Amino acid sequence: MQHYRQGDVIIKSIPTIPADAKRLHPEGRVILAAGEVTGHHHAIALLDGIQIEAYEKDGKTYLHIEGGDAVLGHEEHGRISLPPGNYESWIQKEYTPEEIRNVAD
Amino acid sequence: MAKVEKLTTEQQAHLEAYFQDCLHKIGLNTARANFDVAEGVMTDFYARIGKKKPAFILCDSPFQAQVYMNLLQSVLKGGQLWGQLGDQLRGQLWDQLRGQLRDQLGDQLGGQLRDQLGGQLRDQLWDQLRGQLRGQLGGQLRDQLGGQLRDQLGGQLWDQLRDQLGDQLGGQLGGQLRDQLWDQLRDQLGGQLWDQLRDQLGDQLGGQLRGQRFNYFSTWMWGQWDMYWIAFYDFPDRFIHPMYTEPQRQLLHRWKQLAESVGFIYPFEGICFLCDRPRVIQRDDRNRLHCDDGPAMAFADGYAVWSIHGVRVPAEVVLHPEDLAVASIEQESNAEVRRVMIERFGQGRFLSEAGAKLLHQDATGKLWRKDLPDDEPMVMVEVLNSTPEPDGHTKTYFLRVHPELRPLLAAGLGEPQAPTAHNAVASTFGLCGHEYHPLIET
């Protein structure tokens, strides 16, 4: 399966979205990872003509893209075009002896 | 009238000058707020939604406003003061106006200019101003305030508040609050609420605030940083040709007056908090909040945002990075803040003082190991951002990985891997080295 990576976010194309994933209803854009200290987010803008459905399960975001390429943008990284299909996305992790935590920026 | 299809050369020149004015004279203005004008506009806005003139509380910073709002809310539990009007004002005086103006703009502009509108006007007046003002300046300030008020316990916040506001707050509680609230609110509050307020304000106030959890009040009205949408609708009417009705134009003008005069505004039933503009706004050449020897944004009461190229950091990282302790850098949980700390501390110095040894190096990065007495070793992978900065340099991050490079999965740890930098990066995404070959990486 193919991976795409933008900074601390990784996206993998998958055949189907888990049936028990919870549907999200984002406004304006789907944020895959929020920048806590920079105000810069890894986000996909919701545009006319492209249907994007977002789901969440176990800390991962799932995307169903239809009708055209969705564009993942971030102020400090190159854009990534995601062709129609299903995707699973998660955030880079970091190890500490106490816990495994998401990389935060 | 025929639809406008193209901006003239003269209009193009106006657009550039207008953009610069909106940005520098309004959005980046650091002069003291003109509270008289703002009070006039807000009184008019309240009247337009059928509310009587509120009492105005003038604040040196949004932080001070948040403290006052918390204070009043806790003292006036059950009082009728706390109907937030931001939503209502925005709905009736902003969303409706914008909707109407958008339709009229659409009617007036021909296909070609609509494309330009989707291009130049929108890019410059909406996107750029919005990004620079509301996104970077207002957004960073809001995020910091929200984080501090929501996440920190009252006690910590109180310490910070005491440091930042010093005796001023005590003085103001006796001074400003007494003068303003006492006199202005007396008429608006019932006798019982008034007695409650009087009883509770006083020397013990600090004690009461201590240990109390603070709320963050959402910001609906951004004052000078609302200028992006005002500009977008104001420009065509003024410089292309008049296209709105007189009442619409007047209302838009009121919003512009507000943007020209103050910072954040928190409107409530009967009371309205107006915040002064920052005294200092420092940015880098990419319009991000930045100052490497002082606060990037600072208010008259000392409340400040410290930021290095758009990354909010503690003040000591800006002022005395050489005094940071290696342990405190290692313990910083935010990777972006840690990167800035290491850059400012000195990367070579960090690695040598940390006593790190280079284990492996490949195209992905470098793998470092540091042995700790009586503890498992600390293994870090040093990686470069895939997208270089516009100036050509590339940001370096250090991420801690499992000592055996076991993939970090949501449910726990995977199997050990050979010590390579590639395997280490793969493990941070919960993958083994052989699974990790991104098609595109930015």
Side-chain angles (χ1 to χ4, degrees):
Chain A
M1 285 296 160
Q2 288 169 340
H3 289 104
Y4 303 81
R5 179 183 165 193
Q6 187 183 62
D8 52 9
V9 168
I10 194 157
I11 298 166
K12 178 181 166 186
S13 83
I14 52 171
T16 50
I17 291 172
D20 55 347
K22 194 178 122 219
R23 178 83 189 259
L24 303 173
H25 298 281
E27 280 181 29
R29 57 185 176 168
V30 183
I31 295 181
L32 297 183
E36 287 171 14
V37 294
T38 56
H40 293 164
H41 309 307
H42 296 274
I44 295 173
L46 300 177
L47 301 171
D48 291 345
I50 301 170
Q51 289 87 50
I52 300 176
E53 290 170 11
Y55 300 82
E56 190 271 334
K57 190 192 168 211
D58 297 336
K60 292 184 174 181
T61 306
Y62 294 87
L63 300 167
H64 175 76
I65 300 169
E66 231 180 274
D69 288 6
V71 177
L72 175 65
H74 186 277
E75 285 80 348
E76 319 228 332
H77 295 276
R79 293 173 166 212
I80 292 181
S81 283
L82 299 170
N86 293 319
Y87 297 91
E88 178 180 43
S89 134
W90 66 99
I91 299 175
Q92 189 168 31
K93 293 195 162 43
E94 193 172 14
Y95 175 80
T96 66
E98 297 78 32
E99 59 169 350
I100 295 169
R101 64 187 178 212
N102 282 344
V103 170
D105 61 16
Chain B
M1 183 182 286
K3 291 191 173 189
V4 179
E5 292 289 355
K6 199 169 181 298
L7 287 183
T8 64
T9 318
E10 198 185 1
Q11 285 165 344
Q12 292 273 10
H14 282 315
L15 176 61
E16 183 54 35
Y18 183 79
F19 169 77
Q20 293 298 339
D21 273 4
C22 290
L23 179 62
H24 293 283
K25 293 189 182 161
I26 299 175
L28 299 176
N29 189 347
T30 52
R32 181 175 160 76
N34 189 335
F35 288 116
D36 289 345
V37 171
E39 286 187 18
V41 176
M42 287 309 294
T43 303
D44 175 38
F45 279 8
Y46 272 66
R48 284 171 187 254
I49 61 167
K51 303 288 180 190
K52 67 175 181 173
K53 181 181 175 180
F56 288 102
I57 307 296
L58 312 183
C59 301
D60 284 343
S61 74
F63 179 70
Q64 197 180 61
Q66 293 279 346
V67 171
Y68 284 2
M69 289 186 282
N70 272 279
L71 195 72
L72 274 179
Q73 195 181 40
S74 74
V75 172
L76 298 171
K77 276 206 181 81
Q80 320 95 315
L81 264 180
W82 297 102
Q84 268 250 41
L85 294 182
D87 202 7
Q88 204 175 340
L89 284 168
R90 191 170 83 159
Q92 292 186 26
L93 301 182
W94 165 355
D95 287 349
Q96 272 180 30
L97 176 71
R98 272 161 58 163
Q100 290 170 5
L101 298 187
R102 193 178 309 130
D103 293 347
Q104 265 149 292
L105 208 56
D107 290 345
Q108 300 282 332
L109 304 176
Q112 197 183 337
L113 189 58
R114 241 202 327 269
D115 291 345
Q116 253 178 351
L117 199 78
Q120 205 176 352
L121 287 187
R122 179 164 280 279
D123 275 359
Q124 209 161 357
L125 293 184
W126 187 284
D127 293 347
Q128 280 201 42
L129 275 180
R130 189 177 204 277
Q132 291 190 36
L133 301 180
R134 176 127 177 204
Q136 185 59 215
L137 303 180
Q140 292 272 37
L141 179 59
R142 175 201 53 198
D143 290 352
Q144 174 169 312
L145 275 170
Q148 286 176 337
L149 294 166
R150 280 203 197 100
D151 303 339
Q152 293 184 7
L153 294 174
Q156 275 173 294
L157 191 78
W158 178 250
D159 290 343
Q160 197 176 3
L161 193 134
R162 196 175 42 200
D163 288 349
Q164 283 179 349
L165 303 183
D167 298 334
Q168 199 183 4
L169 184 74
Q172 277 177 356
L173 290 174
Q176 188 176 343
L177 261 190
R178 189 161 299 143
D179 293 350
Q180 291 197 13
L181 296 183
W182 232 246
D183 298 341
Q184 296 181 22
L185 284 181
R186 185 161 23 210
D187 300 339
Q188 314 232 4
L189 296 172
Q192 200 191 340
L193 282 178
W194 177 244
D195 290 342
Q196 231 182 331
L197 181 66
R198 192 182 46 201
D199 289 348
Q200 292 192 34
L201 286 180
D203 298 340
Q204 316 94 318
L205 196 63
Q208 291 186 1
L209 275 180
R210 194 193 303 272
Q212 190 181 91
R213 224 179 153 75
F214 279 66
N215 292 317
Y216 170 70
F217 288 82
S218 301
T219 308
W220 292 98
M221 299 175 74
W222 300 62
Q224 69 187 123
W225 298 326
D226 263 333
M227 197 54 211
Y228 69 97
W229 69 264
I230 301 166
F232 180 73
Y233 291 112
D234 184 45
F235 180 83
D237 186 56
R238 283 178 58 191
F239 294 99
I240 297 177
H241 68 71
M243 49 186 80
Y244 308 141
T245 64
E246 200 45 41
Q248 289 170 339
R249 187 172 296 127
Q250 278 175 11
L251 182 51
L252 185 63
H253 179 68
R254 285 307 227 174
W255 277 103
K256 192 172 179 204
Q257 281 183 303
L258 204 56
E260 285 167 342
S261 55
V262 281
F264 286 1
I265 300 148
Y266 298 96
F268 297 89
E269 195 86 49
I271 187 167
C272 180
F273 296 84
L274 300 175
C275 301
D276 198 354
R277 290 183 275 239
R279 280 290 168 279
V280 172
I281 298 175
Q282 299 276 359
R283 308 187 308 158
D284 65 11
D285 56 1
R286 288 168 62 192
N287 308 318
R288 298 172 299 191
L289 274 176
H290 172 75
C291 181
D292 57 15
D293 59 2
M297 188 188 293
F299 290 85
D301 59 6
Y303 185 71
V305 176
W306 300 77
S307 172
I308 297 292
H309 297 299
V311 177
R312 290 198 315 282
V313 294
E316 63 268 20
V317 175
V318 175
L319 292 176
H320 304 292
E322 66 285 354
D323 295 342
L324 292 170
V326 168
S328 75
I329 296 175
E330 289 169 351
Q331 281 157 16
E332 169 56 50
S333 63
N334 187 295
E336 199 74 48
V337 173
R338 190 166 61 231
R339 174 185 64 75
V340 173
M341 288 169 121
I342 293 172
E343 271 177 18
R344 292 184 64 76
F345 183 80
Q347 190 176 308
R349 188 181 155 206
F350 170 72
L351 289 169
S352 74
E353 288 195 15
K357 288 188 211 107
L358 185 63
L359 284 187
H360 182 261
Q361 182 170 4
D362 60 27
T364 330
K366 294 176 184 167
L367 190 63
W368 298 90
R369 176 189 168 116
K370 175 187 166 184
D371 290 312
L372 297 169
D374 305 324
D375 204 349
E376 64 179 1
M378 183 175 194
V379 178
M380 289 177 297
V381 61
E382 174 187 344
V383 287
L384 294 173
N385 235 1
S386 299
T387 307
E389 300 297 288
D391 67 6
H393 103 281
T394 309
K395 288 180 176 172
T396 309
Y397 295 82
F398 287 86
L399 298 174
R400 185 163 180 185
V401 294
H402 186 269
E404 296 175 322
L405 272 49
R406 290 172 183 262
L408 306 175
L409 305 166
L413 296 164
E415 293 303 310
Q417 303 189 78
T420 69
H422 177 84
N423 286 347
V425 172
S427 79
T428 63
F429 286 107
L431 301 169
C432 295
H434 65 86
E435 296 171 305
Y436 177 72
H437 294 284
L439 189 67
I440 300 174
E441 204 170 358
T442 68

